[in-house]
Amino acid sequence: MRHSHGLVEVIAGPMFSGKTEELIRRLRRAVIARQKVQVFKPRLDQRYSARHVVSHNGDQFHALPVAGARELEAHLEPDTTVVGIDEAQFFDADLLPLVQRLAHRGVRVILAGLDMDFRGEPFGIMPQLLAQADRVDKLTAICMVCGREATRSQRLIDGQPAHYNDPIVVVGAAEMYEPRCRVHHEVPGHPALLTSQEDASHDASSGLS
Ligand code: TTP
Ligand code: MG
Ligand code: ZN
């Protein structure tokens, strides 16, 4: 008789916060308990290894790259009790009902993903996943500028902050991203977050003071 309780767990946070590491840690515990684990990741993330999820400390776990939610579902085996999903922010909206269906069937679904993109905006389906999760952990990294807690991912292009209108999906690691706190996170062109300095220069150029 199956009497496992389905659960949706989301591990969120900026880049370099150890989301993949935490996902792997939970999956390892499940394997030790002899639970049947399947792990998936979006095919577009080809960093380090196509068939594994890999954390910055080099830890890895076998994972199947899939194009989207439909392909993920097609690969699910009936006796799987734990499903791990890395880089959840890159999945399409069909993942949302699938995750709910799995949890209702008694499957434990553990998802890791970026809550915010480089602009500080909610990333893809992460807001819905976070809202419908039974458990949420927001991890933090360390701001590369001040050493305080970092909640955001700064994208840098030739050392300069990327513009708000730049493409949202750019796969990469330390060569173009670094963790930053709210104060040091820079997004030129952000419509809602003109800095007081930008406000001041805008006022000056328009003759207001
Ligand atoms: P993550 O796994 O979130 O980054 P990470 O491995 O550094 O973090 P962790 O240690 O917590 O596991 O991978 C993020 C991917 O998303 C990476 O390939 C860069 C990409 N990305 C975008 O495409 N757009 C963005 O706006 C940001 C911030 C990242
Ligand atoms: Mg990762
Ligand atoms: Zn900082």
Side-chain angles (χ1 to χ4, degrees):
M1 195 182 86
R2 278 259 298 278
H3 43 114
S4 58
H5 284 274
L7 204 63
V8 180
E9 301 171 24
V10 175
I11 305 162
M15 290 182 67
F16 310 100
S17 63
K19 299 182 298 297
T20 303
E21 219 177 301
E22 175 60 18
L23 175 67
I24 292 172
R25 194 188 68 80
R26 293 186 196 180
L27 297 171
R28 289 247 158 85
R29 302 272 83 63
V31 169
I32 289 166
R34 294 210 170 74
Q35 295 172 342
K36 169 134 181 199
V37 176
Q38 279 190 279
V39 187
F40 301 92
K41 64 177 195 170
R43 188 165 283 131
L44 73 107
D45 181 18
Q46 298 286 16
R47 284 181 307 169
Y48 316 120
S49 163
R51 302 216 140 237
H52 295 83
V53 290
V54 182
S55 69
H56 289 292
N57 68 8
D59 221 1
Q60 58 179 50
F61 200 99
H62 180 82
L64 190 65
V66 290
R70 274 186 51 192
E71 193 183 336
L72 190 159
E73 188 167 22
H75 283 102
L76 281 174
E77 287 156 33
D79 54 342
T80 292
T81 52
V82 180
V83 172
I85 302 174
D86 201 11
E87 309 281 5
Q89 75 276 359
F90 290 138
F91 276 87
D92 55 288
D94 290 343
L95 191 70
L96 298 167
L98 174 60
V99 163
Q100 295 301 316
R101 276 202 303 280
L102 289 172
H104 271 78
R105 265 179 25 206
V107 174
R108 178 181 175 206
V109 188
I110 315 172
L111 305 110
L114 289 169
D115 44 357
M116 287 178 262
D117 61 26
F118 77 98
R119 307 169 305 171
E121 302 285 7
F123 207 142
I125 59 168
M126 290 301 288
Q128 285 93 332
L129 282 172
L130 287 161
Q132 294 189 310
D134 298 290
R135 173 177 171 184
V136 170
D137 290 280
K138 269 219 189 197
L139 307 184
T140 55
I142 292 170
C143 176
M144 294 283 281
V145 179
C146 70
R148 292 194 179 89
E149 257 193 335
T151 53
R152 281 135 200 273
S153 311
Q154 177 72 52
R155 183 188 290 165
L156 296 165
I157 296 166
D158 298 326
Q160 297 302 311
H163 192 271
Y164 187 85
N165 292 331
D166 282 7
I168 291 170
V169 178
V170 179
V171 171
E175 72 288 354
M176 61 177 321
Y177 291 100
E178 64 181 40
R180 299 245 183 127
C181 70
R182 183 187 284 277
V183 170
H184 293 116
H185 185 243
E186 292 173 84
V187 191
H190 195 301
L193 293 176
L194 286 173
T195 65
S196 51
Q197 216 173 13
E198 282 167 327
D199 281 342
S201 64
H202 180 77
D203 287 351
S205 62
S206 64
L208 302 170
S209 60

